[in-house]
Amino acid sequence: MSDPSSLSGLRHLAPQQRLSLVARAKQLSDAQAQSLSGGALDLATADGMIENVIGLFELPLAVATNFQINNRDYLIPMAVEEPSVVAAASYMAKLVRLNGGFVTTSTDPVMRGQIQLLQVPDPGAAEQALLAASDEIVALANTHDQALQALGGGCIGIEVHRFNETAVGPMLVLHLLVDVRDAMGANTVNSKAELVSPLLERITGGKARLRILSNLADKRLATARIELDPQTLDTDNYEGIEVAQGIVEACAFAEVDPYRAATHNKGIMNGIDPVVVATGNDWRAIEAGAHAWAAAKGRYTSLTRWRLEQGTLCGSIELPMAVGLVGGATRTHPAAQAALALLKVESANELAEVIAAVGLAQNMAALRALATEGIQRGHMALHARNIAISAGAEGEQIAEVAGKIVAMGDVSLDAAKAVLNQPDG
C-alpha cells in the first residue's frame, strides 16, 4: 500500500472492516489484530496488574489517519471516549500532509530522581561536598540495573538544589540524572535514588527523606513543528489567511491568560492522552509533566505557539514526554503491545515525537474551529451519535437519528427521543 496512513473512506466501514484494513496496512498478525478488537485483557492478568480488581473497563479504541511525521507514515491508536477527537486529528494531519508533514525532534530520555536531605548542619558546605563526590555517587547509582548501562543508559550525572527557607527548615535536594533508554524509567530511577541515599547522608551529615523521580521531565522533551500555506485552510465561508490569523490570535489569548491556557492545553491533551493510554503508558505522569512545563517560567501559559511568518502559518509544540516501550502495562497488556505494533515505533523517543505531533494536530483542530464556526458545530455533530444511543437507538437507527437531530439543529436527548417515537423513526 503506497500511502498506508491515509486509508480514505475508513469512517464509512464497519468496525471489523476497519480493523481488517488497518491490520493489512501495517502487517499486524492475527493475534495482534484480535487484541485491538476488544477483550484482550483477561481478568486474571488484570488481577495481577493492580489491587482489588473486580472487573474490566474499556474505552473505544480508534485510529487517527493521515499522519506523516519526518517523512514516515503512521496510523495512530487512540483510546478515548470523547467524540470529534479522532476525526479532528485525522483531518488536521491530512492538511499538514499537503504541506510536507510534521517535523519532530526529541532529546535524550533523561529522567530526574530526587533525594530530599534535611537536618544538614552546613548546607553550603554540604552542597559543595556533594558536587565534589559526583563521580562516586554516579558510580554507586550505576551498580543498580547494569543491564541499562549495557544498552547505553544509566546515571549520567547529578545536580544539587539548595532551599535555604522552607516550612521544615533548610533543605538540600540532589537530582540523579538517569538516561532510561526505552523505558518510562520510574522503577529504575526510584531504585537508584534509594540506593545512594545512605551515601548522601554520610557526605552531608543530614537525613534523607523523599527518594522519588520527578514527573517534570524537563530533560526529556519532544517537539513537533508544522508549516502551512494558509490557502490549505480555505473553506466555503472563510479564506485560509483569515483562518490562519484567527489561529494565531486564539493562541495569543492562551499565551497571556491562564484561564484560557488551561482549556487550550486540555485540548492538546485530548490528542496526547489517548495515544499514551492506548500504548499502556502513564497518562497521569504525562499530564503532570505537561502542565508543570506550561508553568515552568512562573506563569501558566500555552504549550503551543502559532505565528504567521512571511505568509506561512507556523505551529510548534514542546513538552516533556516520558513514555516507554518496555515495562509496566506496555509489557503486560496485550492491547498495548498490539497498539505499539500498529505504530511500528522503534524507540521511546520516536513514540514521544509521534505523540507530540498528535498534540499539535489536535490543538490546530480546536483553534481552527474556534476561529471559524465555533467549537460546538463539529463537536455536536459527532456527539449526536452518543445522544441517539442514550435515547435508545440501536443498529442502523443510530446514524439515522443522529443525522436527523443534526439537521434539525437540536442535538439533545429530547429531540432524539422525539425522532425515535415518530412513526417512521
Side-chain angles (χ1 to χ4, degrees):
M1 190 173 294
S2 61
D3 187 10
S5 74
S6 291
L7 301 184
S8 60
L10 199 63
R11 67 189 180 95
H12 300 300
L13 302 177
Q16 191 59 45
Q17 293 173 309
R18 294 184 190 124
L19 178 60
S20 296
L21 185 58
V22 166
R24 289 199 305 272
K26 294 300 182 180
Q27 296 87 48
L28 298 183
S29 69
D30 290 344
Q32 289 168 335
Q34 184 60 39
S35 291
L36 294 174
S37 67
L41 183 64
D42 61 81
L43 197 59
T45 302
D47 193 40
M49 293 174 67
I50 63 170
E51 56 284 338
N52 295 346
V53 168
I54 60 170
L56 305 172
F57 183 89
E58 290 189 330
L59 290 170
L61 179 65
V63 289
T65 58
N66 303 317
F67 275 84
Q68 186 179 76
I69 303 169
N70 294 340
N71 297 315
R72 181 178 172 188
D73 285 323
Y74 294 86
L75 288 175
I76 312 293
M78 301 180 75
V80 63
E81 84 295 343
E82 183 171 335
S84 80
V85 167
V86 178
S90 299
Y91 185 62
M92 292 305 102
K94 184 177 182 179
L95 299 185
V96 173
R97 171 185 287 275
L98 298 174
N99 291 266
F102 297 85
V103 177
T104 63
T105 65
S106 56
T107 59
D108 288 339
V110 175
M111 300 294 289
R112 295 176 182 269
Q114 296 184 291
I115 301 99
Q116 176 195 32
L117 296 161
L118 298 175
Q119 302 169 27
V120 177
D122 186 340
E127 179 180 3
Q128 295 306 311
L130 289 170
L131 292 171
S134 174
D135 290 346
E136 181 183 5
I137 296 168
V138 169
L140 177 59
N142 281 330
T143 61
H144 172 268
D145 199 356
Q146 294 182 356
L148 180 61
Q149 284 182 273
L151 294 170
C155 186
I156 60 172
I158 68 167
E159 293 177 357
V160 181
H161 299 262
R162 176 154 49 117
F163 302 93
N164 293 324
E165 296 183 8
T166 80
V168 292
M171 183 186 305
L172 285 179
V173 181
L174 183 132
H175 289 193
L176 290 180
L177 306 179
V178 183
D179 185 328
V180 298
R181 297 287 85 192
D182 283 330
M184 183 274 181
N187 288 332
T188 192
V189 170
N190 291 341
S191 295
K192 288 180 184 294
E194 292 177 358
L195 177 63
V196 303
S197 292
L199 173 60
L200 305 188
E201 290 180 331
R202 291 197 297 274
I203 292 172
T204 64
K207 179 66 177 177
R209 293 296 190 189
L210 270 65
R211 297 152 293 173
I212 184 78
L213 94 160
S214 170
N215 287 125
L216 176 51
D218 60 352
K219 289 187 174 293
R220 193 176 186 179
L221 302 176
T223 73
R225 178 177 173 83
I226 57 177
E227 295 183 0
L228 286 90
D229 181 341
Q231 289 185 348
T232 308
L233 301 171
D234 284 349
T235 71
D236 292 340
N237 299 317
Y238 299 90
E239 291 188 3
I241 189 63
E242 183 182 1
V243 177
Q245 183 63 36
I247 289 173
V248 172
E249 292 168 353
C251 186
F253 184 7
E255 289 175 32
V256 299
D257 183 350
Y259 294 96
R260 171 60 201 145
T263 310
H264 178 99
N265 289 341
K266 187 269 181 184
I268 293 169
M269 303 314 289
N270 274 351
I272 287 174
D273 285 347
V275 189
V276 178
V277 171
T279 56
N281 277 283
D282 187 346
W283 63 268
R284 299 158 305 278
I286 298 303
E287 282 274 352
H291 295 297
W293 184 248
K297 294 182 179 179
R299 179 176 56 83
Y300 189 82
T301 188
S302 168
L303 288 166
T304 58
R305 293 290 181 270
W306 292 91
R307 298 289 187 268
L308 274 168
E309 299 176 3
Q310 298 181 335
T312 298
L313 178 64
C314 301
S316 63
I317 187 170
E318 179 185 65
L319 76 167
M321 193 54 62
V323 292
L325 302 184
V326 297
T330 58
R331 184 178 294 276
T332 57
H333 200 306
Q337 295 170 3
L340 289 170
L342 171 63
L343 271 170
K344 295 192 179 301
V345 291
E346 298 179 357
S347 68
N349 275 35
E350 185 183 358
L351 176 59
E353 292 176 20
V354 167
I355 294 171
V358 178
L360 184 59
Q362 203 71 47
N363 183 235
M364 178 183 170
L367 298 188
R368 174 181 174 273
L370 288 167
T372 54
E373 73 270 10
I375 202 72
Q376 283 298 84
R377 181 178 175 182
H379 178 78
M380 291 306 290
L382 291 168
H383 184 55
R385 292 177 62 87
N386 279 342
I387 296 295
I389 293 170
S390 298
E394 298 178 350
E396 295 181 357
Q397 288 180 318
I398 296 172
E400 181 181 353
V401 172
K404 287 184 177 181
I405 62 177
V406 168
M408 292 163 53
D410 185 5
V411 183
S412 69
L413 188 61
D414 287 344
K417 288 180 176 178
V419 170
L420 270 176
N421 290 330
Q422 291 173 357
D424 60 343

